[in-house]
Amino acid sequence: MKVGVVRFPGSNCDQDCVVALSQFPGMSAEILWHKEDTVAGFDAIILPGGFSYGDYLRCGVSARFSPVMGAVKDFAAAGGPVLGVCNGFQILCESGLLPGALVRNRDLRFICEHTHLRVERTDTPFTRAASSGQILRIPIAHGEGCYFADNDTLRDLREHGQVLLRYSDERGYLSQETNPNGSRDNIAGICNRERNVFGLMPHPERACDPLLGSTDGRVIFQSLLS
Amino acid sequence: MPKVIVTVMPKPSVLDPQGVATAKLMKQSGLAGVGRVRVGKSIEIEFESTPDAAKLEGVARDLLSNPVIEDFRIETLP
């Protein structure tokens, strides 16, 4: 499996993704410069974290004008798996590939810490190697990660099983205390209705090596492979 | 040179922690009667000629603001 990791000006987790993905036998990863206008030859696309275009105006908004995004949209429309991490999640929302938006954290602070995530659905290419209700320990690092969607959109997400990860405690209980950024419904990650586009604020690529304190992020990439 | 100001505000239904924090600071500064505060942004645009109103509105809606979380208004200065 060949994964393209898009590098926008200001991406800073692109190389981390390549390193994390390269651990998996059968998986290779390559950087894809944002000026590319094709993603031909790739089996999956990752939009990594960072501060694309300096996060000017709004996080993730400028990336929609990158040539590569047209190709990513076509790739997604054809059913190709697209994963957006952190700034990549913001880009997916701003580009209309996922519903909702990411706004300033409830407490206005940039948060960099490990979180516990409850796996809500395993019927996607990104979570199928996990078990339902499994708790993953994966770090977040963001200032604008509070997921917002209006009530109708939230109901829609729930009805179609599009919420894949929620912030919980280590036993899987949900509360405002386990919600680091004020996201509605403790949402940490959602997919589109077709289930091939997934965005999440936590960084699975930072949880793939025991040296970094957790290897729970592996299950996301393992899912892509299986 | 025509000038346009686009004001972008968080929708009333969206949590605005910056507004809450600002209200608190204003109260601490001794200003009486401070109620709800919302913080948005104001974008000043200078045009070389009068802009196309429909296109300007489209850009304000889809680019300068995010309709999921923000409202906007356009003010044209003479």
Side-chain angles (χ1 to χ4, degrees):
Chain A
M1 169 176 251
K2 196 171 152 196
V3 182
V5 180
V6 177
R7 174 181 285 162
F8 297 99
S11 295
N12 65 9
C13 303
D14 41 342
Q15 202 55 45
D16 306 52
C17 284
V18 171
V19 169
L21 291 168
S22 303
Q23 299 178 352
F24 294 88
M27 198 179 244
S28 66
E30 266 178 38
I31 297 286
L32 196 55
W33 182 233
H34 74 116
K35 297 262 194 195
E36 297 288 338
D37 55 8
T38 172
V39 297
F42 292 100
D43 304 302
I45 297 295
I46 295 185
L47 306 183
F51 301 87
S52 58
Y53 303 91
D55 275 352
Y56 296 145
L57 188 60
R58 279 189 316 280
C59 302
V61 68
S62 311
R64 79 163 81 145
F65 297 104
S66 283
V68 76
M69 283 310 290
V72 169
K73 276 187 171 174
D74 292 344
F75 180 78
V82 176
L83 171 66
V85 175
C86 198
N87 191 225
F89 186 11
Q90 295 165 339
I91 291 170
L92 289 174
C93 288
E94 281 286 351
S95 307
L97 286 166
L98 288 175
L102 283 313
V103 298
R104 282 288 285 274
N105 292 344
R106 178 185 49 207
D107 299 328
L108 293 170
R109 285 200 306 267
F110 187 96
I111 309 170
C112 185
E113 63 185 26
H114 270 90
T115 55
H116 291 96
L117 308 167
R118 191 174 79 188
V119 178
E120 305 290 49
R121 302 286 295 215
T122 58
D123 54 349
T124 76
F126 312 97
T127 53
R128 59 191 165 196
S131 50
S132 187
Q134 187 179 344
I135 310 303
L136 306 176
R137 191 168 164 272
I138 297 180
I140 55 170
H142 60 244
E144 276 106 347
C146 171
Y147 181 76
F148 177 85
D150 61 27
N151 292 337
D152 290 344
T153 307
L154 273 188
R155 191 166 48 239
D156 219 45
L157 287 172
R158 281 194 291 259
E159 273 174 13
H160 294 93
Q162 290 171 248
V163 179
L164 305 190
L165 297 172
R166 282 197 166 93
Y167 299 109
S168 72
D169 69 6
E170 66 276 14
R171 287 169 303 167
Y173 289 110
L174 307 177
S175 69
Q176 277 314 300
E177 283 70 51
T178 67
N179 185 348
N181 51 27
S183 290
R184 293 204 73 185
D185 250 7
N186 283 46
I187 287 174
I190 57 164
C191 68
N192 61 345
R193 203 176 289 185
E194 293 75 25
R195 318 190 83 65
N196 66 312
V197 178
F198 174 38
L200 75 169
M201 287 314 295
H203 287 269
E205 79 281 5
R206 295 188 191 177
C208 286
D209 188 311
L211 271 177
L212 298 177
S214 171
T215 56
D216 289 357
R218 283 180 179 169
V219 76
I220 305 286
F221 303 121
Q222 191 62 52
S223 295
L224 265 180
L225 256 179
S226 56
Chain B
M1 233 184 328
K3 199 184 216 180
V4 168
I5 298 177
V6 178
T7 306
V8 179
M9 295 298 293
K11 279 186 193 289
S13 56
V14 176
L15 187 76
D16 177 21
Q18 212 178 170
V20 173
T22 306
K24 200 168 147 190
L25 289 173
M26 289 169 79
K27 285 174 194 164
Q28 283 172 0
S29 302
L31 181 63
V34 175
R36 193 182 194 202
V37 175
R38 311 284 289 167
V39 177
K41 59 188 148 200
S42 173
I43 301 161
E44 271 187 28
I45 312 146
E46 285 175 9
F47 285 94
E48 286 158 8
S49 56
T50 307
D52 181 291
K55 279 192 181 149
L56 173 63
E57 179 156 343
V59 164
R61 177 181 301 107
D62 297 326
L63 178 66
L64 300 182
S65 68
N66 177 342
V68 176
I69 46 172
E70 293 162 330
D71 295 321
F72 68 93
R73 65 173 181 269
I74 298 171
E75 192 187 346
T76 306
L77 303 183

